[in-house]
Amino acid sequence: MSEQKHKKLGEFDLIRWIDQTAGKGAHLTLGIGDDCAVQPQVAGRDLLTSSDLLIEGIHFKREWTSFYNLGRKSAAVNISDIAAMGGTPQSLFLGLGRPSDIEDSDLKDFISGFIAEAELHGAVLAGGDSCGSPGPLMISVTVQGSVASGEAIYRNGASYGDAIYVSGTLGDSAMALKTLLKGEFPSEHFASRFHTPEPRVRLAETLARAGWATAMLDVSDGLLADLNHILEDSGVGADIELALVPLSEPFQAELKRDSSLMELALGGGEDYELIFTSPLKDLDRHQDFYPYITRIGVISQTPGLRVFDEVGNKFPYLLKGFDHFG
Ligand code: ADP
Ligand code: MG
């Protein structure tokens, strides 16, 4: 490898490049370039802020993905948190701890992917911090968005009789991870659901505006583990029908070969679909939502989470979310 390849961009050259590459948010007076980003307050809107840390070796492996897609996913999983509140994403802040063995071109690919994903959802990279890392690649992302005052959808609003809905399909991302952990490469369908999840921003905005969802969150740890957060915070229980859990066609094909893979749809994380509850029982047939959401069960008065199979027997499952300290 040539000397040139190892010559790294200095911090200020990198920041100049980021500044030139990131778009300017119409909602900002100033994004990158000073000590703080500056955004005027808007009357009647609540500011939403969320933060995520992604550490190489815990949340991702460099050899599994491209830097561009890693950038996309780093933005997407944060934007998904804004969607989970029913909000509109606006600004992202990116803290980078860069190990010395990352080439400038890889870093630029990462940031380009990050910016592209932000733009897809109407958001901009509005600031951050950049530093060397003596260890793994570290990515800290903060996202800000907004929602009309009083319209944010919390986890604690589910009540008895509400229908439980999920968006999209579940388990594809976990299927990809299972394959990667075996040292193999997943097919295109599963790989793309794992590497470039799609935060359900528009669906969430529609729900918030209509006021139809009583509780909501995004599936990062697995359907049952995440639904359980709603149940605990709302002080209710749930009955889920296994046959209603939405699965993609490629997932169904795998399931025909090995029925134990259903665990991945119930317990596998990183789908970044939305789970929400609503007093409305046929939202899945409403023109704004068909075919993007599926009703999978109902909120019950009996505490706990029960999953029933096709013939009404209780389906045994282990409630295990991914523990990042584990
Ligand atoms: P400070 O010394 O105040 O931390 P910096 O020199 O680190 O300022 O950053 C200068 C500008 O560049 C700031 O606007 C900051 O938000 C932005 N910036 C630095 N690193 C990044 C990054 N990784 N992504 C986006 N913006 C960044
Ligand atoms: Mg700084």
Side-chain angles (χ1 to χ4, degrees), residues 27-39:
H27 63 291
L28 295 175
T29 308
L30 179 66
I32 293 168
D34 209 310
D35 296 310
C36 287
V38 180
Q39 178 178 344

Side-chain angles (χ1 to χ4, degrees), residues 26-275:
H27 63 291
L28 295 175
T29 308
L30 179 66
I32 293 168
D34 209 310
D35 296 310
C36 287
V38 180
Q39 178 178 344
Q41 304 273 66
V42 178
R45 308 248 343 147
D46 290 343
L47 176 67
L48 305 171
T49 308
S50 177
S51 210
D52 263 319
L53 196 52
L54 295 114
I55 308 263
E56 182 176 4
I58 294 185
H59 300 92
F60 64 91
K61 291 195 195 300
R62 263 189 252 175
E63 59 269 28
W64 284 355
T65 184
S66 66
F67 278 90
Y68 187 85
N69 280 346
L70 184 61
R72 282 193 63 183
K73 185 168 183 176
S74 303
V77 302
N78 278 271
I79 288 169
S80 181
D81 282 324
I82 298 291
M85 299 299 287
T88 301
Q90 293 177 301
S91 302
L92 289 141
F93 297 85
L94 175 62
L96 281 176
R98 170 192 190 171
S100 57
D101 64 339
I102 289 193
E103 300 294 341
D104 288 340
S105 57
D106 290 338
L107 197 64
K108 286 182 173 177
D109 281 350
F110 172 84
I111 294 167
S112 298
F114 189 94
I115 291 171
E117 183 70 22
E119 279 175 358
L120 264 184
H121 303 284
V124 290
L125 176 57
D129 202 25
S130 311
C131 185
S133 165
L137 171 59
M138 293 192 273
I139 304 162
S140 164
V141 184
T142 299
V143 62
Q144 291 186 324
S146 74
V147 64
S149 298
E151 287 183 4
I153 306 167
Y154 298 86
R155 296 178 176 190
N156 65 359
S159 48
Y160 169 55
D162 283 357
I164 302 168
Y165 296 96
V166 297
S167 64
T169 59
L170 299 173
D172 289 338
S173 181
M175 185 77 84
L177 178 60
K178 187 182 166 77
T179 307
L180 287 166
L181 287 170
K182 280 193 291 192
E184 296 164 14
F185 279 97
S187 67
E188 175 55 30
H189 170 81
F190 296 121
S192 75
R193 298 264 355 235
F194 179 72
H195 293 306
T196 53
E198 291 175 47
R200 304 299 181 191
V201 173
R202 217 152 311 140
L203 171 65
E205 286 173 330
T206 307
L207 281 168
R209 222 170 282 141
W212 286 336
T214 44
M216 184 156 73
L217 47 58
D218 61 331
V219 185
S220 54
D221 294 336
L223 168 68
L224 299 183
D226 284 317
L227 176 57
N228 209 46
H229 294 313
I230 290 184
L231 303 183
E232 284 181 355
D233 290 1
S234 302
V236 292
D239 296 328
I240 299 296
E241 283 183 56
L242 195 63
L244 297 180
V245 173
L247 307 171
S248 68
E249 278 178 20
F251 192 98
Q252 290 177 39
E254 294 296 321
L255 196 59
K256 275 204 191 113
R257 282 190 272 278
D258 177 0
S259 63
S260 75
L261 293 172
M262 194 63 202
E263 278 258 319
L264 298 178
L266 300 177
E270 297 208 293
D271 291 309
Y272 298 101
E273 297 294 349
L274 296 171
I275 312 176

